[in-house]
Amino acid sequence: MTKITVAKGDGIGPEIMDAALRIIQAAGAKIEVEEIEVGEKVYLSGNAAGISKESWDVIRRNKIFLKAPITTPQGGGYKSLNVTTRKFLGLYSNVRPCLSLHPFVQTKHPIMDVVIVRENEEDLYAGIEHQQTDEVVQCLKLISRPGCEKIVRYAFEYAKQYDRKKVTCFTKDNIMKQTDGLFHKVFDEIAAEYPEIENEHWIIDIGAAKLADTPETFDVIVMPNLYGDVLSDVAAQIAGSVGLAGSANIGEECAMFEAIHGSAPRRAGQNMANPSGLLQGALMMLNHIRQGEVAEKVQNAWLKTIEDGIHTYDIFTDGVSTQKVGTKEFADAVIANLGQKPNVLKSVKYNQSAIRIPKYQRKAPAKKELVGVDVFVHWQGSNPDELAAKLNGMVVPGIELTMITNRGIKVWPEGFSETFCTDHWRCRFKPNGQKVLEKEAIIRLLSNALSNEIDAVKTENLYMFEGVDAYSLGQGQ
Ligand code: NAD
């Protein structure tokens, strides 16, 4: 018996949760439910996070959390419970299977069975943003080696567990050579440990286009957070099944399972909603807690029910569907089909073990040398030669100004007069003689900036790791 935390959520949440729990319990799931309240009521009681301390304690104690959708109240100040939960519990992996159920559910892509594995904790979602000048704001894109290793390994282990043939990686490492470059590098390293699974990499733009056009050519796709956020919705939508898809958020200790849709308040309390998305989440949970046998039984019965044309309003199509049913009746139909397999759709066979990823082992530190500094300057002028002359007044002996960029484009020396410039300038200083820069020189540089009335808004140290430059050059360099 595994104790799980359940939140029935808002809107259609309670109805679809009751249906999903009823189905899996009828199939023999060995679970004990401990219910907590999260969502609208908690938000409106003045708790900006939508969850109480006591509920956190329950989630952390049970470690497995099945969550119905919640309603985030309108207006500012309310934090997304999903984002908070993922980050606090270290749920690094978001897994979203997108399966087309042709010809029983309408889709433009009859053959589609793609699983998006999205990194869930870092990238631009670290949410570290600053306004630095009148005209420029920034968001830090943080990608870590542990983050990459965990998610890529999860994708390959997932492929192994579910007998998938190929793992594809999407990044934009032709532009973001450090951040997406690390993700791609780690993908190549880990892919080599799984020679039995095919691997490939696509630049995200053409990869996304191919996914939307020919999803049948993909199997498991792993990608950084932001790309995964967008493409997992695209994939679910083109499978024709946003209302039918579930998702898992997996961490080293805890895991959360849910439907991908929201609380559909307009449909609430009418016994209309489709419980399939949450049911899919619940089946991923059963696989995670090593009750794959039960998950397999339910999935096959569910596929048979869809195939029988017993459909809720959202997927009902004249000529294809045979019976329009409500939430409860749909659950009854799945329960009646337990033990049966689909005839046309592919039945499932789940491996009875569960995916477990080894804990990240920190590597020995690399040789790290400070070889320069980028000083970002807020300056209202427009002629980079003028700025260079001004900056030369702040240099210290042994250091020289080597480059100025504006939004990443080199504008000095030898820039183009056509390049549009904002008020945010990256000014690169490097030692002119020895290779390594003392940190103290940066302090003196900034002190000179202050006395020369140069508005330095931030600095970024330039490092070599193991003798390799580990920073971007200016575009045009
Ligand atoms: P939604 O997913 O709730 O609804 C979009 C459309 O899909 C609606 O027409 C709805 O009726 C339909 N739909 C959704 N689920 C369905 C189901 N199971 N069966 C039948 N039809 C279904 O998205 P929304 O309207 O943008 O959001 C409503 C609320 O849900 C908002 O407060 C939003 O913040 C919240 N939300 C919560 C989550 C979550 O808790 N994970 C996710 C997304 C949105």
Side-chain angles (χ1 to χ4, degrees), residues 50-181:
I51 179 167
S52 68
K53 189 191 160 304
E54 292 70 30
S55 295
W56 273 127
D57 293 343
V58 175
I59 291 173
R60 292 171 73 190
R61 191 169 60 236
N62 295 331
K63 304 201 184 313
I64 304 295
F65 182 22
L66 181 63
K67 178 183 151 294
I70 59 164
T71 303
T72 311
Q74 297 288 314
Y78 299 109
K79 292 196 197 110
S80 156
L81 182 61
N82 272 21
V83 176
T84 316
T85 310
R86 285 171 193 169
K87 287 194 179 170
F88 272 135
L89 298 181
L91 308 182
Y92 64 86
S93 176
N94 182 267
V95 185
R96 191 179 286 187
C98 302
L99 171 70
S100 96
L101 298 165
H102 176 81
F104 307 103
V105 176
Q106 285 189 329
T107 167
K108 294 191 186 97
H109 299 287
I111 311 164
M112 176 173 178
D113 187 4
V114 174
V115 180
I116 307 280
V117 178
R118 161 191 172 191
E119 197 289 319
N120 218 10
E121 289 183 287
E122 44 191 50
D123 194 354
L124 293 161
Y125 287 74
I128 305 173
E129 294 195 305
H130 303 93
Q131 178 164 3
Q132 294 182 322
T133 67
D134 291 313
E135 293 175 354
V136 174
V137 288
Q138 73 161 19
C139 177
L140 271 189
K141 173 165 165 128
L142 289 179
I143 300 281
S144 73
R145 177 167 270 276
C148 296
E149 283 195 12
K150 284 195 292 185
I151 194 67
V152 172
R153 197 171 289 288
Y154 192 90
F156 278 95
E157 285 294 322
Y158 183 95
K160 215 165 112 180
Q161 171 86 2
Y162 291 94
D163 199 22
R164 299 259 172 180
K165 306 295 176 222
K166 182 168 75 171
V167 180
T168 304
C169 173
F170 283 177
T171 70
K172 188 82 183 173
D173 63 336
N174 53 333
I175 302 295
M176 284 161 280
K177 295 188 169 71
Q178 292 295 323
T179 47
D180 282 20

Side-chain angles (χ1 to χ4, degrees), residues 1 21 23-32 285-286 291 294:
M1 192 67 76
L21 288 176
I23 294 169
I24 63 171
Q25 280 168 331
K30 293 181 206 62
I31 53 166
E32 187 189 331
M285 174 189 79
L286 290 175
Q291 296 190 30
V294 185

Side-chain angles (χ1 to χ4, degrees), residues 382-385 406 409-422 425:
S382 57
N383 181 352
D385 287 336
N406 196 290
I409 312 292
K410 191 188 74 166
V411 293
W412 184 93
E414 292 164 19
F416 282 17
S417 58
E418 292 86 348
T419 306
F420 179 81
C421 290
T422 67
W425 309 79

